[in-house]
Amino acid sequence: MHTRFLIGSLLVFGLTSELGTRSLKAQTASEQLRPNVLWITSEDNGQQLGCYGDPFATTPHLDTLAAKGMMYLNAWSNAPVCAPARTTMITGMYPTSLGAQHMRSAVKLPSAIKLLPELLREQGYYCSNNSKTDYNLLVEEKTLWNESSKHAHWRGRASGQPFFAVFNINTTHESQIRTRPHHAVHDPEKVTIPSYHPDTPEVRQDWAQYYDKITEMDREVGDILQQLDSDGLAENTIVFYFGDHGSGMPRSKRWLYESGLRVPMIVHVPESLKSLVGGDYAAGTTSQRLVSFVDLVPTLLSLLEVRPPDYLQGRAFLGQFVTEAPKYMFALRDRMDERYDMSRAVRDTRYTYIRNFMPQRPQGTYLEYMFQTPTTVAWKRLFDEGKLNDTQSAFWTAKSAEELYDLEVDPEQVHNLADLAEHSATKQRLRSELHNWMIQTGDLGLLPEGEMWNRAGEAAPYDISQDDQIFSVVEILDAAERASMAVDEDLNELFQYHQSPDSACRFWLASGLLLRAQMDTNRTKCVDMARRMSNDPSSYVRCLANETLARFGSGIDRQPAIDALLKMADASSEGYFAALTALNSLDWCQPNKQQIGLSLDGIPEVSGGLHPRYKSYIPRMIQRILYVDK
């Protein structure tokens, strides 16, 4: 039995035995004065704050908060983009266990899993959210919170009622650093440019504007803290501040580097509440403990003296139920808007290991939203013109299956150590930890998105992650790991998955064939196998097999393969996710636009009953294929 099955078996026990032990009716007068919690998040910003040692940042209010609280130096978002990151915050679980890892999606939760506001409202807390949600979950947000709106505030609570108040600041969001016109306050000529970005006026302007927005955000944090003080609540309120992931600059947000995952996190516990803290908390200091968003739910419950449910996958880092510090943190990257990809990361206190399961796709695959940022456009133009050095070019070329970085000597993560013999033991250790984590948590990213829905049916995806008969994670992960390593000696073993009754194993075989054909590793044998798989029962297998034929097959292979992709790209034919997968493949085939224009123009944008969170992605891909110059 895998650990993931134990998680499921403890769901009901954990909730019934530990929660609901303090109902509002049963509270004594002293319990009515339980600590308040103020939770301030800011969007799309990393540790570019004065208190984190950035001399270019102007952040007096956060610097003051850090000076009287604890600053966590190794805090991670478990996903480098909003929706899966916020899903982690609100559930205390990895999105990959819930099937909620894609940006964006909407999945059903098992009834036994409760979200943070539900758990706190059961404890008598007034829960307000001002106002972003963006969870990848099918939940009724209006009933989840006491109030969730631009006007939500702790001031809406009943007299004497403790509160959990969330304020989300979008001033630093990706969309705000590219809004023009903008008068720069921070001098673009003085900003430090990362070595992986080209030094151009567009890049300097975007970075300077980002720092301007950081300063604006800091003022908004100060305003909220001032309201808390004015209401006489500061001495009974625990304050959390953190960013939701790295900056909105390209290669930060959406990527599993420190620039995308490492966030500021400051916790302030007033003197009157110090008895609740536990852990390594000490005012005015810093902590090296590894903390990530999956730890937030258990930590909040622990601070309120409520034992966290056993199904939670994080660890409390403060409070009565504080745990031993973890040795590792984990992060995920899957579909980003209209583009499919899959990567996982693990880090300890010094090294980060990244496993790319689709290395045939470059980091800088075209994303419509990302290409609205001037830096992205200028960076790609200079790459196309051959004007970048190797470090700056790497983002636009095929990525390695494995990446390993020493964060002490290479904080920008531009020197991949994965192939160096002297680091083989570290690589193997981290690779093994990541492999085991994916099995223990039932990583549903190993299934094509539509296949996950097909297997779940009316159930929550989490339910199939706990069922080895429906989702054989060990076998599928083995196929995925073999497929993503383009080495000759694995080819015959990889071919054996052609006979697998599990379509996910065949999908990873098709992915491996595409990778090897692209790298010209036994291309003829890979194309031959792709030809045999081009009529597979699974549309997801057929997409990758036909992409291989269209790109690397013989002349007579190309048009039939493109025709097959066009047929699957009709969402009314084989479903939305198959269509999106086919369009992703078709774009890489560089089809003649004049020949396919009429076919694509007639494709329905969505299929019936699709959640609105998905509806823009097929139109974006059609727009890309028909109208965007490659």
Side-chain angles (χ1 to χ4, degrees):
M1 176 181 292
H2 299 309
T3 303
R4 62 197 183 101
F5 300 126
L6 180 61
I7 295 171
S9 68
L10 291 171
L11 281 174
V12 176
F13 174 79
L15 284 171
T16 57
S17 65
E18 299 298 348
L19 294 178
T21 56
R22 298 173 181 261
S23 68
L24 185 57
K25 292 180 180 179
Q27 285 178 332
T28 65
S30 62
E31 287 177 314
Q32 289 284 350
L33 297 176
R34 293 170 71 187
N36 305 309
V37 178
L38 172 60
W39 187 340
I40 304 173
T41 64
S42 54
E43 296 194 50
D44 300 14
N45 68 275
Q47 293 184 350
Q48 289 81 25
L49 306 177
C51 53
Y52 276 88
D54 191 325
F56 199 61
T58 309
T59 52
H61 298 98
L62 286 169
D63 296 350
T64 299
L65 183 66
K68 64 179 183 179
M70 174 164 272
M71 191 165 58
Y72 289 86
L73 303 181
N74 293 312
W76 249 22
S77 173
N78 298 107
V81 72
C82 302
R86 291 172 181 275
T87 299
T88 311
M89 293 179 203
I90 204 75
T91 62
M93 300 183 70
Y94 294 106
T96 45
S97 295
L98 304 170
Q101 66 273 12
H102 297 291
M103 177 66 188
R104 290 183 165 89
S105 55
V107 303
K108 183 187 298 185
L109 277 177
S111 59
I113 293 178
K114 296 187 178 182
L115 305 184
L116 180 58
E118 296 177 280
L119 299 175
L120 294 182
R121 289 177 72 180
E122 288 180 354
Q123 302 302 310
Y125 275 73
Y126 179 83
C127 296
S128 62
N129 179 56
N130 188 332
S131 64
K132 186 168 183 172
T133 51
D134 201 18
Y135 318 128
N136 281 340
L137 306 169
L138 287 171
V139 295
E140 183 53 60
E141 294 173 357
K142 291 183 179 179
T143 59
L144 179 62
W145 301 87
N146 291 98
E147 183 176 2
S148 180
S149 73
K150 293 181 179 179
H151 306 290
H153 203 284
W154 65 73
R155 292 169 179 165
R157 75 196 191 285
S159 177
Q161 185 179 11
F163 65 79
F164 169 57
V166 175
F167 288 85
N168 182 78
I169 300 172
N170 67 359
T171 303
T172 45
H173 187 266
E174 175 183 9
S175 59
Q176 303 305 305
I177 65 175
R178 61 197 187 202
T179 301
R180 304 291 192 269
H182 173 79
H183 174 69
V185 178
H186 288 82
D187 186 352
E189 294 302 315
K190 296 180 180 179
V191 70
T192 299
I193 304 297
S195 62
Y196 48 80
H197 279 168
D199 190 348
T200 71
E202 298 96 333
V203 176
R204 287 192 167 276
Q205 173 65 27
D206 286 351
W207 272 112
Q209 188 159 328
Y210 168 68
Y211 277 95
D212 289 349
K213 292 299 178 179
I214 289 283
T215 299
E216 292 180 33
M217 176 272 291
D218 179 78
R219 285 197 293 267
E220 293 178 70
V221 171
D223 290 342
I224 296 168
L225 295 176
Q226 180 58 50
Q227 293 174 48
L228 188 74
D229 191 57
S230 297
D231 287 2
L233 297 168
E235 289 307 309
N236 196 41
T237 302
I238 300 170
V239 178
F240 284 73
Y241 162 77
F242 51 91
D244 68 349
H245 51 71
S247 83
M249 294 292 282
R251 199 187 179 271
S252 296
K253 180 179 181 178
R254 301 182 185 90
W255 280 276
L256 297 179
Y257 299 115
E258 292 292 284
S259 57
L261 294 172
R262 202 172 206 171
V263 295
M265 182 176 289
I266 302 168
V267 179
H268 173 245
V269 181
E271 188 67 32
S272 60
L273 301 177
K274 290 296 176 61
S275 62
L276 300 175
V277 179
D280 62 352
Y281 184 88
T285 64
T286 61
S287 172
Q288 293 283 354
R289 177 173 173 138
L290 301 179
V291 299
S292 61
F293 287 172
V294 74
D295 302 322
L296 286 171
V297 172
T299 297
L300 255 64
L301 294 174
S302 177
L303 282 167
L304 304 180
E305 301 180 308
V306 176
R307 184 183 295 276
D310 292 305
Y311 69 80
L312 295 178
Q313 295 171 325
R315 301 187 183 197
F317 55 87
L318 294 172
Q320 180 177 336
F321 301 101
V322 67
T323 68
E324 182 182 355
K327 295 180 180 179
Y328 303 99
M329 297 188 293
F330 301 92
L332 56 108
R333 166 186 159 86
D334 287 79
R335 175 173 56 73
M336 290 293 166
D337 296 341
E338 69 268 28
R339 290 292 188 175
Y340 280 108
D341 202 354
M342 180 184 171
S343 299
R344 299 290 180 265
V346 56
R347 69 154 286 188
D348 59 17
T349 55
R350 178 168 179 174
Y351 294 95
T352 292
Y353 170 82
I354 301 173
R355 189 67 157 87
N356 295 309
F357 288 90
M358 296 181 179
Q360 63 267 31
R361 307 306 193 202
Q363 305 282 21
T365 299
Y366 182 89
L367 279 169
E368 187 272 337
Y369 193 71
M370 184 181 73
F371 266 75
Q372 295 176 31
T373 301
T375 289
T376 310
V377 176
W379 192 6
K380 180 60 163 61
R381 183 188 70 246
L382 292 173
F383 172 76
D384 292 339
E385 294 172 353
K387 296 180 179 178
L388 301 178
N389 60 37
D390 289 346
T391 297
Q392 295 162 347
S393 297
F395 185 72
W396 305 103
T397 60
K399 51 186 176 282
S400 301
E402 296 180 292
E403 301 176 63
L404 178 69
Y405 300 100
D406 184 338
L407 301 177
E408 288 187 7
V409 300
D410 181 24
E412 290 186 344
Q413 295 171 274
V414 296
H415 301 293
N416 185 5
L417 308 176
D419 293 333
L420 299 183
E422 58 265 38
H423 293 283
S424 60
T426 298
K427 181 179 70 172
Q428 181 56 47
R429 173 174 57 85
L430 294 174
R431 177 200 284 164
S432 178
E433 291 293 335
L434 185 65
H435 173 94
N436 292 337
W437 171 76
M438 292 180 70
I439 292 173
Q440 291 166 2
T441 57
D443 193 325
L444 288 167
L446 291 164
L447 295 177
E449 187 172 13
E451 181 65 25
M452 179 189 76
W453 286 112
N454 292 340
R455 296 191 190 197
E458 295 300 315
Y462 176 81
D463 293 333
I464 69 169
S465 79
Q466 306 300 296
D467 189 335
D468 206 30
Q469 298 301 308
I470 300 175
F471 176 50
S472 180
V473 63
V474 174
E475 182 182 10
I476 299 171
L477 178 57
D478 179 74
E481 289 175 336
R482 291 180 184 276
S484 57
M485 297 291 287
V487 290
D488 291 348
E489 55 266 30
D490 283 349
L491 196 56
N492 290 332
E493 292 188 24
L494 187 64
F495 278 176
Q496 294 177 12
Y497 288 110
H498 178 236
Q499 304 298 327
S500 174
D502 195 314
S503 62
C505 291
R506 302 196 307 275
F507 169 82
W508 285 110
L509 166 56
S511 179
L513 298 177
L514 175 59
L515 171 63
R516 286 159 176 79
Q518 179 173 295
M519 297 181 67
D520 202 8
T521 302
N522 278 313
R523 178 176 289 176
T524 300
K525 290 179 67 175
C526 291
V527 168
D528 286 344
M529 178 58 78
R531 196 175 289 117
R532 293 168 62 186
M533 301 180 72
S534 61
N535 292 309
D536 191 273
S538 167
S539 55
Y540 306 99
V541 176
R542 294 200 307 276
C543 283
L544 296 187
N546 279 287
E547 180 186 340
T548 300
L549 294 177
R551 295 175 64 185
F552 306 109
S554 65
I556 61 173
D557 286 322
R558 179 172 169 80
Q559 195 56 51
I562 288 178
D563 290 342
L565 289 170
L566 282 167
K567 182 178 180 180
M568 287 184 283
D570 185 342
S572 64
S573 174
E574 299 196 44
Y576 182 89
F577 298 107
L580 185 57
T581 305
L583 287 165
N584 268 259
S585 286
L586 191 63
D587 184 42
W588 290 104
C589 296
Q590 298 284 296
N592 185 296
K593 296 179 182 181
Q594 286 70 37
Q595 292 178 345
I596 69 166
L598 290 176
S599 299
L600 280 179
D601 282 341
I603 291 176
E605 292 186 355
V606 296
S607 54
L610 189 73
H611 194 281
R613 289 173 74 81
Y614 299 98
K615 291 187 176 181
S616 66
Y617 300 137
I618 281 182
R620 287 186 190 180
M621 285 305 306
I622 294 174
Q623 176 78 13
R624 159 71 176 174
I625 292 169
L626 288 180
Y627 305 116
V628 177
D629 291 331
K630 306 298 191 292

